[in-house]
Amino acid sequence: MIQFIDRQGGFTFGQDYKNEKQLIKGADDQFESKNYKEAISLYSTLVSNYPKDPTYNYKYGASLLYGSADKEKPIKYLKFSVSRPEVEPIAYFYYAEALHLNYEFDQAIKYYKKFTNSANNSTIKRNTVENQIRQCENGKTLLKTTLTGLPRQ
């Protein structure tokens, strides 16, 4: 996707989008449709233009998490988003997922619980979150067992 800079506003938009409103709609449509790979470049542009926006950061981070092989990069954007009081509760879930996939189980559990405490019941898939927390507990046990079972040098 080729990008250009609007000299008046200084904003960058993707080639297929004539204005910022279209870019936001395109990014949100891709995200809601779970087309995370396609959403990455769109949210990258939005985060470049609005680096302090928690919504763009969490959606970019989630898109990276599910749409790319790099599971560490999303943490930066998700961590920023959950540090903001105005962030949507679902951001806690995405941050917890990123931590979970990076073996940061205690922190993942903390943010899974924060998500369940702040989201409404229609947003929470209780079984999914409870299962994710169990997986983290199991991961902690496995890591502890594996690390203590290693031969000493």
Side-chain angles (χ1 to χ4, degrees), residues 33-136:
S33 298
K34 300 183 191 284
N35 295 326
Y36 299 114
K37 285 184 180 182
E38 291 80 7
I40 290 172
S41 64
L42 304 176
Y43 283 117
S44 175
T45 299
L46 290 168
V47 167
S48 292
N49 292 338
Y50 300 98
K52 302 291 183 196
D53 186 291
T55 301
Y56 297 150
N57 273 275
Y58 96 72
K59 288 184 175 182
Y60 180 53
S63 296
L64 287 169
L65 184 65
Y66 300 126
S68 74
D70 185 346
K71 300 305 178 200
E72 288 182 42
K73 186 176 180 182
I75 289 178
K76 170 185 172 185
Y77 301 96
L78 293 165
K79 183 176 184 177
F80 170 78
S81 70
V82 300
S83 73
R84 304 299 295 251
E86 69 273 20
V87 73
E88 295 173 44
I90 191 68
Y92 298 123
F93 180 81
Y94 293 129
Y95 185 47
E97 287 259 289
L99 293 166
H100 184 165
L101 293 173
N102 283 279
Y103 306 101
E104 295 181 38
F105 299 123
D106 287 326
Q107 283 294 98
I109 291 168
K110 174 184 171 183
Y111 281 94
Y112 282 131
K113 288 180 178 179
K114 194 163 186 172
F115 167 67
T116 58
N117 292 334
S118 60
N120 63 39
N121 286 338
S122 64
T123 307
I124 300 170
K125 296 179 183 171
R126 289 230 182 256
N127 292 333
T128 301
V129 175
E130 289 171 9
N131 186 45
Q132 298 297 76
I133 291 171
R134 267 193 307 279
Q135 287 179 14
C136 287

